[in-house]
Amino acid sequence: MSSQKHTESSSSETHTIDPHLWVTHHADYLYNYAITRINEEEQARDLVQETFLAALERIDRFEGRSTERTWLTAILKNKIIDIYRKKSSGLKNITIDSGAEQNDQDFFDPDDGHWKKAHRPQPFGIEDTTDALNAKEFNSILKRCMQKLPGLWLSVFTMKHMDDESTDFICSELKVTPSNFWVIIHRAKLNLRACLQKNWI
């Protein structure tokens, strides 16, 4: 009998959720998650507020299978993907010409999309990766470089390399073909590489 009570108590605790503490416990985390993916402060703040409102509307669906933060982050992530989708809608697919495609193959392995050894980006002068100031400055430059990418490129690159989404999922959500997906990824890498090497000393 006591074992049954303990199980019921544990289950109840698992499903506990307190919206009154969301801002205190999760707002900063969710804002940082959003700002690294869309690079627009006002929009990031709005997305966090929209996430809390959406969570309140579906609070009865929270089953306790994950933490509050994981659940809220999943809601925010879907909202960010909606923004990516809107930015990419109406944009024409990239036209692949043989010369440009060959240039991409010069830099990247066509099988996995990784840099070929001879063309890997050179070190950016970070002597000690544990140096907090160095890391902060580098991340700031990286964000600025990412902001210069076309909207569709930024969306594809972020979903692939920050959220680790599958190629099929990205192509489906953003309505791009697999061929154009890889061209976008390659172009984004080349642009970021050039921007970082120019601005990081």
Side-chain angles (χ1 to χ4, degrees):
M1 185 69 176
S2 60
S3 175
Q4 182 179 357
K5 288 183 179 180
H6 176 74
T7 301
E8 292 175 353
S9 174
S10 298
S11 175
S12 176
E13 290 174 4
T14 300
H15 288 75
T16 297
I17 188 169
D18 189 352
H20 297 94
L21 298 177
W22 285 353
V23 172
T24 301
H25 289 173
H26 308 300
D28 287 345
Y29 173 85
L30 294 174
Y31 173 79
N32 288 330
Y33 182 95
I35 196 65
T36 57
R37 287 159 175 79
I38 59 175
N39 291 316
E40 295 179 24
E41 293 182 3
E42 184 175 352
Q43 191 172 41
R45 286 192 290 268
D46 289 344
L47 282 173
V48 173
Q49 293 300 321
E50 290 174 17
T51 296
F52 289 147
L53 289 173
L56 281 172
E57 291 175 357
R58 64 186 75 169
I59 196 168
D60 57 327
R61 303 181 203 171
F62 181 74
E63 299 178 353
R65 296 178 181 176
S66 61
T67 65
E68 274 186 349
R69 176 167 293 184
T70 299
W71 182 61
L72 291 168
T73 302
I75 296 173
L76 174 59
K77 182 177 179 180
N78 286 329
K79 292 188 172 296
I80 291 173
I81 290 176
D82 284 341
I83 290 176
Y84 290 163
R85 193 182 297 116
K86 289 175 183 177
K87 286 183 176 180
S88 65
S89 65
L91 296 177
K92 293 181 179 179
N93 282 337
I94 295 172
T95 300
I96 305 174
D97 62 77
S98 57
E101 189 173 16
Q102 180 59 48
N103 184 58
D104 287 332
Q105 292 177 358
D106 289 342
F107 284 97
F108 305 102
D109 188 321
D111 294 326
D112 58 19
H114 293 161
W115 291 97
K116 288 185 177 179
K117 186 175 182 179
H119 296 288
R120 287 176 186 166
Q122 297 301 310
F124 295 116
I126 305 177
E127 300 299 333
D128 182 2
T129 55
T130 62
D131 187 323
L133 291 177
N134 259 350
K136 185 175 181 180
E137 183 180 354
F138 178 82
N139 287 332
S140 176
I141 293 172
L142 176 59
K143 284 182 181 180
R144 291 203 298 270
C145 288
M146 290 179 68
Q147 284 179 323
K148 295 178 181 179
L149 294 175
L152 179 58
W153 294 19
L154 178 60
S155 300
V156 170
F157 185 85
T158 301
M159 290 179 74
K160 181 65 176 178
H161 292 290
M162 295 184 69
D163 293 329
D164 200 28
E165 300 288 2
S166 70
T167 300
D168 289 344
F169 178 79
I170 297 171
C171 289
S172 173
E173 291 297 313
L174 301 184
K175 304 296 188 257
V176 297
T177 66
S179 295
N180 283 339
F181 167 85
W182 285 112
V183 171
I184 290 169
I185 286 292
H186 294 169
R187 295 288 195 276
K189 286 181 180 179
L190 290 173
N191 275 265
L192 288 175
R193 167 182 151 164
C195 181
L196 286 169
Q197 291 185 329
K198 179 180 179 181
N199 293 285
W200 180 259
I201 301 175

